[in-house]
Amino acid sequence: MKINENYKKLEVSYLFSTIAKKVNEFIRNNPDKKVIRLGIGDVTRPLCKSVIEAIKSATDEMGTFEGFRGYGPEQGYDFLKEEIQKYYARKNVSLDLDEIFISDGAKSDLGNILDLFSTDNTVLIPDPVYPVYVDTNLMQNRNIIFLKADQQNDFLPMPDESIKADLIYLCSPNNPTGAVYNKSQLEKWVQYALKNNAVILFDSAYECFISDSNLPSSIFEIEGAKSCAIEFCSLSKTAGFTGTRCGYTIVPFELNFDNMSLNKMWLRRQTTKFNGVPYIVQRGAQAVFSEKGQKEIKENIEYYKRNASLISQTLKKHNIYFTGGIHSPYIWLKCPNNMKSWEFFDYLLQNIQIVGTPGAGFGQNGEGFFRLTSFNTCENTKEAMERLDNLLT
Ligand code: PLP
């Protein structure tokens, strides 16, 4: 027996365990101090009423002979796919129901999609980045080229014609930088992909934070994208489903390579290796798209966005460079006085008891940067920003 040697190439991520260790030690030594966590990458507000009602009623159905459901369609129930189809139609994107695949979240599909692609492919990944893209490719031994995102390009790297890539990861609004591509920037990426016979893996997990209708919230708003892109989305940040688990992946019919349809390959992959998202959860997800559900989830998103705005205002006041904070729950800032990411982490923890995430944990280009998030209460965010304001003053 031989193991998959590629796992040896994975770096152990010490990011969140080191943060926890440092914070716990600080609390042990300073039990009277109130620590405010603005490093959280998980939602904190509860599921909305419509979702809870739908989940309860689906649970009751499952306890009856008439309403009980066993294995469902692996690619999801039509009642949910139809809602997603309508959601895209409102963005002027027309989808066939069979182009929509319901998943247990974006993370699984982002990893699993690699089953469809040869390990000979070269992958283009922006740096800094959500680490899942890197690790899932390392596990399969693909060649990775990192694309530099930095202050010069406002953390929105554009295609470089001298680089030949087969798979391209784009995440907009971005984690960790909160930066959002505009339409003309995404058009350039689509043109690059079409020219190079490449596929864009577009992660739109944070699309619900976009409030400017001129900014694309789906890659399929760009002409030609259906011939070169797969989109991954999730209800995790949209509706607080991080623990409930439901997402969706769009694989257009137009994606044909070597006489094979990626849509048919993905269907084959899913029906072979996946048995679908629980009926109860899919009913909850359906409620997210109802008129009442949309209103309720938007209230939560607006709550987070007000926190993000508080953070942005404080940074602006002190002339600190940052991206995000408007169409994103994340604020990505340059550490003042050229401090390194971990240095700034310690500085904030020791002086004002605020916890954030050191940018260096998201890749080489994250060094010298820091991620704050809006996933805390309004009261705590306000208090944290008062402390930061005083410290910087
Ligand atoms: N994509 C990005 C950029 C993320 O930040 C996350 C989660 O934090 C995910 C995908 C995973 O989302 P899900 O909970 O749907 O698996």
Side-chain angles (χ1 to χ4, degrees):
M1 194 286 286
K2 284 187 184 151
I3 58 152
N4 179 351
E5 295 271 338
N6 298 318
Y7 276 65
K8 291 185 178 167
K9 291 184 215 137
L10 299 173
E11 279 182 41
V12 179
S13 173
Y14 295 110
L15 182 62
F16 290 101
S17 57
T18 310
I19 293 175
K21 215 168 107 195
K22 280 178 180 267
V23 174
N24 290 340
E25 193 182 311
F26 179 87
I27 293 173
R28 240 192 338 272
N29 297 332
N30 303 275
D32 53 320
K33 297 256 165 80
K34 179 185 167 190
V35 171
I36 300 180
R37 293 168 203 267
L38 297 185
I40 313 166
D42 193 357
V43 290
T44 47
R45 300 186 67 70
L47 293 172
C48 68
K49 275 210 174 69
S50 304
V51 169
I52 292 300
E53 280 162 15
I55 287 177
K56 279 185 181 167
S57 129
T59 308
D60 287 340
E61 260 185 83
M62 289 291 270
T64 65
F65 277 102
E66 311 73 53
F68 171 75
R69 312 249 180 158
Y71 292 124
E74 291 89 344
Q75 61 277 36
Y77 286 102
D78 278 355
F79 63 75
L80 176 54
K81 297 206 292 179
E82 279 159 11
E83 291 302 328
I84 294 168
Q85 187 182 46
K86 283 187 241 162
Y87 184 65
Y88 273 82
R90 293 199 283 277
K91 305 179 192 210
N92 291 321
V93 174
S94 115
L95 295 178
D96 190 282
L97 279 192
D98 290 339
E99 293 179 306
I100 303 167
F101 295 82
I102 307 303
S103 71
D104 61 353
K107 190 182 194 176
S108 333
D109 277 12
L110 280 160
N112 294 336
I113 200 79
L114 293 175
D115 275 11
L116 311 194
F117 302 104
S118 159
T119 51
D120 290 340
N121 285 316
T122 293
V123 185
L124 194 60
I125 303 182
D127 173 1
V129 74
Y130 176 55
V132 169
Y133 313 152
V134 179
D135 288 351
T136 49
N137 277 289
L138 286 178
M139 286 171 181
Q140 296 187 355
N141 199 25
R142 272 188 204 85
N143 177 36
I144 299 175
I145 299 176
F146 287 101
L147 190 61
K148 195 171 176 184
D150 58 15
Q151 204 171 337
Q152 253 177 354
N153 54 34
D154 269 330
F155 288 90
L156 291 168
M158 295 303 296
D160 174 348
E161 288 299 338
S162 68
I163 296 174
K164 170 86 186 83
D166 307 301
L167 293 172
I168 303 153
Y169 284 86
L170 295 179
C171 175
S172 177
N174 191 274
N175 177 16
T177 70
V180 192
Y181 281 113
N182 65 29
K183 203 165 174 210
S184 81
Q185 289 169 321
L186 282 186
E187 277 167 359
K188 292 201 175 80
W189 273 113
V190 166
Q191 282 155 16
Y192 170 90
L194 290 171
K195 191 172 156 201
N196 289 283
N197 203 35
V199 171
I200 295 173
L201 303 175
F202 191 79
D203 184 345
S204 64
Y206 297 91
E207 57 88 26
C208 61
F209 282 83
I210 295 180
S211 43
D212 176 349
S213 58
N214 292 317
L215 291 171
S217 63
S218 161
I219 186 84
F220 301 124
E221 290 176 45
I222 310 298
E223 210 184 313
K226 279 194 172 174
S227 303
C228 66
I230 295 174
E231 181 158 290
F232 303 85
C233 199
S234 156
L235 297 184
S236 282
K237 309 297 154 93
T238 303
F241 272 56
T242 50
T244 309
R245 309 304 307 149
C246 193
Y248 48 92
T249 294
I250 313 294
V251 190
F253 292 145
E254 286 91 331
L255 294 171
N256 293 299
F257 298 85
D258 289 337
N259 295 322
M260 293 284 277
S261 148
L262 290 187
N263 177 284
K264 293 280 169 305
M265 285 171 75
W266 183 242
L267 178 65
R268 189 72 168 90
R269 192 265 170 217
Q270 291 299 77
T271 49
T272 305
K273 294 196 189 180
F274 182 57
N275 252 339
V277 175
Y279 171 71
I280 295 167
V281 172
Q282 291 193 57
R283 281 292 185 198
Q286 180 190 23
V288 169
F289 295 96
S290 68
E291 205 176 307
K292 189 161 160 266
Q294 284 288 299
K295 196 168 158 277
E296 289 168 351
I297 61 150
K298 278 185 184 139
E299 279 166 19
N300 280 344
I301 292 167
E302 286 311 315
Y303 183 96
Y304 295 132
K305 285 175 74 164
R306 279 195 295 277
N307 286 346
S309 167
L310 277 176
I311 301 173
S312 307
Q313 281 164 24
T314 312
L315 298 176
K316 264 190 203 148
K317 183 176 165 192
H318 293 278
N319 282 323
I320 294 175
Y321 172 86
F322 69 95
T323 53
I326 304 174
H327 305 290
S328 162
Y330 299 125
I331 296 97
W332 177 254
L333 61 116
K334 186 166 167 49
C335 303
N337 302 324
N338 289 322
M339 272 191 246
K340 299 250 184 202
S341 299
W342 279 107
E343 207 182 330
F344 189 57
F345 175 90
D346 291 328
Y347 180 68
L348 289 188
L349 180 62
Q350 296 299 330
N351 289 290
I352 53 171
Q353 294 77 57
I354 292 177
V355 180
T357 313
F362 298 100
Q364 260 181 22
N365 287 310
E367 183 55 281
F369 285 83
F370 203 73
R371 192 189 75 174
L372 293 176
T373 85
S374 59
F375 295 129
N376 204 320
T377 61
C378 171
E379 294 73 23
N380 279 342
T381 309
K382 254 189 202 148
E383 188 180 337
M385 287 308 107
E386 278 161 17
R387 292 185 198 173
L388 184 63
D389 185 26
N390 285 335
L391 180 77
L392 296 172
T393 306

